[in-house]
Amino acid sequence: MTSPSGLVVAIDGPSGTGKSTISKRVAADLGLAYLDTGAMYRALTWWCLHQGIDLTDTDAVAAQARAMPLRIGTDPARPSFAVGEHDVTTRIRTSDISTRVSAVATNLAVRAELQERQRAEIAAEGRPGGFSQGRGIVAEGRDITTVVAPQAQVRILLLADEHARLARRSNELHGRVDAEAIEATRDQVLRRDAEDGTVSNFSTAAPGVIPVDTSQMSLDEAVAVVRDLVEATR
C-alpha cells in the first residue's frame, strides 16, 4: 500500500462520544475526506444477512469480508456506502444491524481484512483523485489511532461519561432523553462497547494519542476543540 501524503486525522472512541458527528464536521470545515470505519463492519453485517450467512460462522463471514463489493463515498456532507448494486447507507443504521454488528466486528479475520481496506482508503485520500484531492482524511472508529493509522499526524481519543453517552445515543435513536428512552438504549450502547472491547482498546489513550472528554461539551464546543488540535498540526 502506498503511504498517504495528505493529512491523516485518526479519531477513536466508544459509542456516544460524538465521534461520527464531530469527525464529519471537522472534515467538512477543513476540506478533508471522511471515513466511518464502523460503518464498514455494519455493511458487512448487512451483506452477510442478505446472503443468508450465519454470523456465528466465522470462516464464512471472513470469506465475505474478502469478497464484499464495497464502495465508499467519503464526502463528509454525504458519506455513503454501497455493496454491489445496493445502496446501504441508511439500511446499515437500523436497530437490527446495530444489535448484530458485534458478532462481525469481533471476528479477528474480518478485522484484519477491513483494516487493510481502511488503510487503502486512507492512502487513496492522501493522493490527488479522491474527494479531498490529496488534502487528506478524517478516519474514525475504535482502533484507528493504534492499529489502522498509528502514524497519523493527529490522533485523538474522544471520551465521555456513561450518562452523557447514553443520553446522546438515546436522543439520536428515539428523539428524547427520558428514563424510558435511555433504558431502551442502554443494552445497545454498553453491550456493544463491552463486546468490541474484547478485541480493541478504545477507552484508554495510547502514547501520543490526545484524549478529549466531551461529557460537558456542547457539540459546537467539541468540534472546535478537535478542529483546533488539527489546525495546530497543519
Side-chain angles (χ1 to χ4, degrees):
M1 182 190 78
T2 304
S3 297
S5 57
L7 176 67
V8 177
V9 180
I11 298 180
D12 285 335
S15 303
T17 55
K19 63 181 182 294
S20 294
T21 304
I22 292 167
S23 296
K24 281 188 284 190
R25 284 189 47 178
V26 169
D29 288 350
L30 301 180
L32 303 176
Y34 163 70
L35 177 63
D36 177 356
T37 63
M40 297 173 70
Y41 293 98
R42 288 173 173 268
L44 178 58
T45 302
W46 180 89
W47 178 242
C48 287
L49 293 173
H50 181 72
Q51 300 285 90
I53 292 172
D54 183 348
L55 299 183
T56 63
D57 187 340
T58 55
D59 290 339
V61 173
Q64 288 303 315
R66 293 186 289 271
M68 177 175 58
L70 179 65
R71 301 191 311 280
I72 301 171
T74 58
D75 180 348
R78 292 178 297 277
S80 63
F81 289 84
V83 184
E85 73 277 18
H86 305 281
D87 183 342
V88 298
T89 305
T90 58
R91 301 184 202 187
I92 62 176
R93 302 300 176 182
T94 64
S95 294
D96 183 49
I97 298 299
S98 295
T99 56
R100 299 181 185 222
V101 65
S102 284
V104 170
T106 54
N107 183 324
L108 296 182
V110 165
R111 294 192 74 81
E113 172 62 27
L114 294 191
Q115 286 162 0
E116 280 304 309
R117 291 196 184 205
Q118 291 156 17
R119 294 184 188 104
E121 195 69 37
I122 290 169
E125 286 297 343
R127 301 188 297 272
F131 167 80
S132 72
Q133 292 300 306
R135 290 186 296 273
I137 189 169
V138 178
E140 56 102 342
R142 296 179 186 270
D143 54 8
I144 314 305
T145 63
T146 54
V147 178
V148 176
Q151 303 305 317
Q153 294 94 322
V154 184
R155 296 188 296 153
I156 297 170
L157 177 66
L158 295 180
L159 300 167
D161 61 43
E162 182 177 303
H163 176 75
R165 295 191 296 116
L166 287 172
R168 289 168 182 165
R169 189 50 57 87
S170 176
N171 189 54
E172 176 187 331
L173 295 176
H174 306 289
R176 63 187 200 277
V177 190
D178 55 35
E180 181 183 3
I182 287 179
E183 194 57 36
T185 308
R186 182 179 301 277
D187 178 69
Q188 185 181 126
V189 171
L190 301 185
R191 179 179 55 79
R192 185 182 172 198
D193 281 351
E195 290 175 350
D196 288 3
T198 63
V199 294
S200 178
N201 178 13
F202 47 86
S203 59
T204 305
V209 177
I210 304 168
V212 175
D213 191 325
T214 67
S215 300
Q216 302 302 317
M217 295 183 190
S218 68
L219 176 60
D220 287 343
E221 289 170 338
V223 169
V225 168
V226 173
R227 187 174 56 232
D228 287 349
L229 289 171
V230 177
E231 290 280 32
T233 298
R234 297 180 91 192

